[in-house]
Amino acid sequence: MNERIKEFFGRSNMFDEMVTLQLSHIRGNWELTWKDSEKKYEPEENSYAELVNELAIDLANLEPPLKYHDNEDRLAEYCKSSLKWKIQKIGNRWEGSDYVSILEQGGFDDYNQENLCLAACGRVKAALKRGQLNFDDMEESHRKILANVMAIALYHRGINA
């Protein structure tokens, strides 16, 4: 399972457009080149490739949580309690603010991106379980949230690098 999680992000036509492009104002070289022989993105100057490779390895080394939404909920609870956002969980959805903004702001209190990484790992595991073996194969709405979770984790890693 671990290698499958790591390789899940490789040979993707959408990953850099959905993940690193949104960070291009920080590191302008957002297009990633997959090196099949090494099963990783080729490191380049002013690129997120090395951080993406490290994040993929970190995700592969995690035990995927049974309920990755719990990790995302912890980020939302931080926004609600510490930042005093007027958000609430209704059923299985957070209402009162944009979900990606909730995850992004909650990520500032997420030590070593623990909850972001567990959420990403859980989302990848769920995709693999459904036979979606690559980021590009994911169902669109799940791919969009995973892309944002990955971008948020990369952003936080990048500012701490």
Side-chain angles (χ1 to χ4, degrees):
M1 172 72 89
N2 291 355
E3 276 303 306
R4 287 176 58 198
I5 291 174
K6 186 175 140 188
E7 292 178 13
F8 181 83
F9 300 103
R11 293 184 283 336
S12 170
N13 294 318
M14 296 183 203
F15 185 84
D16 50 1
E17 290 181 16
M18 293 185 74
V19 178
T20 55
L21 176 59
Q22 60 181 299
L23 301 169
S24 64
H25 62 288
I26 301 167
R27 294 186 184 188
N29 187 359
W30 62 270
E31 293 181 282
L32 302 175
T33 303
W34 180 255
K35 197 161 187 167
D36 211 31
S37 62
E38 296 181 31
K39 296 190 189 290
K40 68 178 191 176
Y41 286 102
E42 189 172 325
E44 297 179 85
E45 187 177 335
N46 200 28
S47 167
Y48 276 94
E50 288 186 65
L51 286 175
V52 170
N53 292 333
E54 291 169 11
L55 181 55
I57 290 167
D58 289 349
L59 297 182
N61 289 327
L62 288 174
E63 182 64 36
L66 296 175
K67 297 176 166 181
Y68 59 85
H69 285 102
D70 290 350
N71 298 96
E72 294 171 4
D73 287 349
R74 288 185 189 98
L75 301 171
E77 288 295 341
Y78 169 77
C79 291
K80 183 176 180 178
S81 63
S82 296
L83 301 179
K84 307 299 183 209
W85 283 20
K86 300 201 182 310
I87 58 174
Q88 60 182 348
K89 190 164 185 180
I90 300 173
N92 62 354
R93 299 173 102 38
W94 282 92
E95 303 284 335
S97 189
D98 173 65
Y99 191 61
V100 174
S101 296
I102 292 170
L103 298 177
E104 180 181 301
Q105 293 304 304
F108 281 100
D109 190 56
D110 189 21
Y111 181 72
N112 285 338
Q113 303 84 44
E114 179 182 6
N115 286 300
L116 288 166
C117 289
L118 285 168
C121 184
R123 285 184 176 277
V124 172
K125 177 186 172 190
L128 291 170
K129 198 172 179 182
R130 291 177 177 85
Q132 302 162 359
L133 305 180
N134 183 275
F135 181 82
D136 294 359
D137 299 335
M138 288 184 80
E139 188 273 323
E140 185 178 352
S141 64
H142 289 278
R143 183 175 53 239
K144 181 181 174 191
I145 295 296
L146 177 59
N148 283 295
V149 169
M150 296 291 287
I152 294 164
L154 289 169
Y155 170 79
H156 286 287
R157 286 176 177 223
I159 61 173
N160 293 321

